[in-house]
Amino acid sequence: MKNLVFGLMAGAALGGCSAGGGADKSYAMPAEDARRILLSADFARGILPGSSGLKPQVRVNYEQTLEWQVLDDSQNGSGWWCPLAIEPASEDGKTIRVVNQCAGMMAAERNRNLNELVDAALTQREPKFDQPAG
């Protein structure tokens, strides 16, 4: 019984790590191309499940790093932000991975949904989510 409990705890811990950034998927392109594609991607308002009034965009923040801005149209910009990193996945720099780095209570769900947007943008396809948008 004790081994079962430890096994479940270890599985949950490992699952939490992999649910975070989605860094296990790589793309055969240089980082500059991925950055350009993500910055120019135009996702529809409400495309993310549970975020009907919010529009996801990749932007360069004041620290000159990439981040997701998932905001509404209001002047105060209600919504949420998540850091985003483009990392080399090969030594020659021809393969990269994109790591969404949301933190907090909704991090796993947000990272999973943002991973889908990244994959859709970099593979030039429509995003598909397990749950309906809105």
Side-chain angles (χ1 to χ4, degrees), residues 21-126:
D24 54 347
K25 185 146 191 174
S26 60
Y27 301 91
M29 66 178 61
E32 299 82 30
D33 288 352
R35 180 181 172 96
R36 180 185 46 77
I37 291 167
L38 292 172
L39 285 169
S40 65
D42 185 23
F43 299 107
R45 179 171 308 286
I47 194 168
L48 290 174
S51 300
S52 62
L54 304 181
K55 180 173 177 61
Q57 298 176 326
V58 174
R59 298 282 190 208
V60 177
N61 64 21
Y62 66 92
E63 295 174 341
Q64 300 303 304
T65 60
L66 294 179
E67 72 180 7
W68 281 102
Q69 296 179 2
V70 184
L71 305 172
D72 65 13
D73 277 337
S74 69
Q75 214 170 9
N76 66 354
S78 295
W80 44 274
W81 299 259
C82 289
L84 162 81
I86 299 173
E87 302 175 344
S90 65
E91 289 185 26
D92 63 5
K94 293 181 180 179
T95 305
I96 55 94
R97 70 179 146 254
V98 178
V99 182
N100 295 299
Q101 302 169 327
C102 294
M105 195 166 68
M106 302 289 293
E109 179 182 350
R110 287 178 177 170
N111 283 321
R112 183 174 55 252
N113 290 336
L114 294 175
N115 288 343
E116 175 56 23
L117 291 183
V118 166
D119 191 57
L122 296 182
T123 60
Q124 300 178 350
R125 63 169 177 80
E126 289 295 315

